[in-house]
Amino acid sequence: MKLPLSAFTGRRSGDCRRLRGLGRGLGILALGFGVLMLTLWAGAALYFDARVSWLRLPLAAGYVLGLLAVWVFIRPRYAIRLTAAAFAVVLAWWFSLPPSNDRDWQPDLATLAYADVTGSRVTLHHIRHCDYRTETDFDVRHYDKTFDLDKLRTADLYMVYWGSPSMAHTMVSFGLEGGDYVCFSIETRKEKGEGYSAIKGLFRQFELIYVVGDERDLVRLRTNYRKGEDAYLYRLRASPEQVRTFFLAYLRRVNELHQRPEWYSALTQNCTTSIRTQRAASDRAPWDWRMWVNGSGDEMLYERGMIATNLPFAEMKARCHINDRARAADQAADFSQRIRQGVPGMELGGLR
């Protein structure tokens, strides 16, 4: 029995209509989700970043409720235009908010480091070395020190877990011939009475700071005084030339922030992404999702051969845990040497 041609064309036509309908529905859902996210972000930006505190809630609520009314009472084609215009106004205002180096800072973050570079000689000013009695009770101290770039030998990565195993605070410490180390910690520069918030870190709430410190400050604070933080130490595989380039990239950012403040961003300008973006684009490591969810960053480095790989990863990581060694070393003058004892790869120096 032969079926008429119209039977086939009718089926295809119906299928096409259903596909177009499905595509249109998915498009509307995507548009709606996008509009919702932009509206919520703009409302949150008004709530967190409006400089007049009593205006924050009225501005945020008025923005969100106003756009809701637009979508209820105005045709979609006009509602989209009004939503885009409103978001553009908020975004332009948000980008215009200026960061500052002149606020009532927490004492340990009040003094910015800077560097004088003359040939192969570098003098770092305001290297922090706080004397801690507890996490919140300490004397702030700084010192200046001159380094010879020709004696730079190693770069080590600290990963400090402070809550979720998915997230860590990263620091980089540079070793010189003779056993000296200088450590860099990229942080939020908090004002007095201010605490860190991952949500607030998405907005214009914190300035960015590169803390240049003695390991007996930056490391010991996290291993010996803060509760619930676990520190892991990895030797990065790099030649002395690569270490020198890496070190100078840090110094450049230290001096830039000393002269001109910048905002911290939990997404684009944090303790891990800043390490990547401070380097020349041609010298940056390939992007990986673990640069954002950085608790697995050490596993990424292991896979890329950038840290010791002569042991299974789990065993290697366990041996890189330094809290017990740091507590035992405490205020010892050879703190930096003692916390590195038994850490895989330390005997190798830089490049393998």
Side-chain angles (χ1 to χ4, degrees):
M1 178 180 175
K2 293 185 177 180
L3 293 174
L5 182 60
S6 59
F8 294 100
T9 57
R11 288 176 187 173
R12 283 197 292 268
S13 178
D15 290 342
C16 289
R17 283 196 296 271
R18 282 192 290 272
L19 286 174
R20 285 197 297 269
L22 178 60
R24 184 182 179 188
L26 291 174
I28 291 172
L29 283 175
L31 176 62
F33 180 77
V35 168
L36 177 62
M37 291 299 100
L38 292 178
T39 300
L40 291 178
W41 181 89
L46 290 167
Y47 179 77
F48 285 116
D49 291 333
R51 293 306 183 242
V52 181
S53 58
W54 62 268
L55 277 176
R56 291 172 184 168
L57 184 58
L59 282 173
Y63 181 88
V64 174
L65 294 176
L67 286 184
L68 177 62
V70 164
W71 281 91
V72 169
F73 296 109
I74 297 178
R75 290 182 178 180
R77 69 175 66 178
Y78 300 114
I80 291 173
R81 294 173 187 173
L82 287 171
T83 301
F87 179 78
V89 169
V90 173
L91 191 64
W93 160 79
W94 190 75
F95 276 120
S96 74
L97 295 173
S100 175
N101 276 336
D102 186 20
R103 302 191 194 277
D104 190 14
W105 304 112
Q106 292 182 6
D108 54 329
L109 300 173
T111 303
L112 291 173
Y114 67 97
D116 292 323
V117 183
T118 306
S120 63
R121 308 289 290 182
V122 171
T123 300
L124 268 170
H125 301 273
H126 305 151
I127 299 171
R128 202 181 78 185
H129 186 190
C130 293
D131 182 17
Y132 293 95
R133 290 172 290 275
T134 68
E135 178 186 349
T136 56
D137 181 18
F138 52 85
D139 296 323
V140 179
R141 296 174 181 171
H142 296 89
Y143 63 87
D144 299 346
K145 192 165 187 175
T146 299
F147 301 92
D148 185 347
L149 290 174
D150 294 332
K151 293 185 177 180
L152 272 173
R153 292 293 179 266
T154 60
D156 296 332
L157 174 71
Y158 287 96
M159 294 186 63
V160 184
Y161 296 83
W162 45 270
S164 166
S166 298
M167 301 302 295
H169 177 65
T170 56
M171 303 186 295
V172 173
S173 187
F174 294 90
L176 293 97
E177 186 180 295
D180 282 334
Y181 289 88
V182 59
C183 192
F184 293 80
S185 178
I186 303 171
E187 305 180 13
T188 56
R189 195 180 187 191
K190 295 180 286 292
E191 299 174 58
K192 289 179 180 177
E194 204 171 32
Y196 179 72
S197 163
I199 298 298
K200 288 184 177 181
L202 298 170
F203 300 96
R204 303 296 211 206
Q205 289 293 294
F206 306 110
E207 276 81 6
L208 182 71
I209 184 172
Y210 275 49
V211 180
V212 183
D214 194 295
E215 288 193 327
R216 288 169 293 178
D217 178 333
L218 292 178
V219 177
R220 199 161 61 97
L221 168 64
R222 292 164 169 86
T223 56
N224 295 25
Y225 292 99
R226 290 182 179 170
K227 304 300 181 184
E229 296 198 4
D230 288 291
Y232 295 80
L233 174 60
Y234 303 97
R235 170 63 46 84
L236 297 173
R237 289 177 172 173
S239 67
E241 293 76 19
Q242 290 171 323
V243 171
R244 182 183 180 127
T245 300
F246 197 18
F247 183 71
L248 288 174
Y250 265 96
L251 297 188
R252 184 177 63 253
R253 290 295 287 142
V254 165
N255 283 342
E256 286 173 353
L257 291 172
H258 185 264
Q259 297 168 3
R260 186 182 67 255
E262 296 179 20
W263 290 113
Y264 170 90
S265 168
L267 287 179
T268 61
Q269 191 107 287
N270 59 45
C271 65
T272 301
T273 57
S274 291
I275 296 175
R276 182 175 183 269
T277 57
Q278 72 187 4
R279 307 178 76 165
S282 60
D283 194 36
R284 292 176 188 172
W287 176 257
D288 190 287
W289 63 269
R290 288 167 290 190
M291 294 178 182
W292 262 343
V293 188
N294 67 350
S296 299
D298 49 0
E299 188 173 12
M300 176 191 70
L301 296 174
Y302 181 86
E303 292 172 2
R304 294 180 176 181
M306 296 176 69
I307 56 177
T309 56
N310 56 319
L311 295 169
F313 175 72
E315 180 182 350
M316 189 273 297
K317 180 164 184 169
R319 290 176 58 179
C320 291
H321 186 251
I322 63 166
N323 283 52
D324 291 341
R325 288 191 286 270
R327 293 186 185 113
D330 198 28
Q331 299 189 48
D334 61 348
F335 175 88
S336 294
Q337 288 71 37
R338 290 173 64 176
I339 63 174
R340 285 170 169 79
Q341 292 175 1
V343 173
M346 288 296 161
E347 72 283 358
L348 301 173
L351 188 68
R352 267 183 68 182

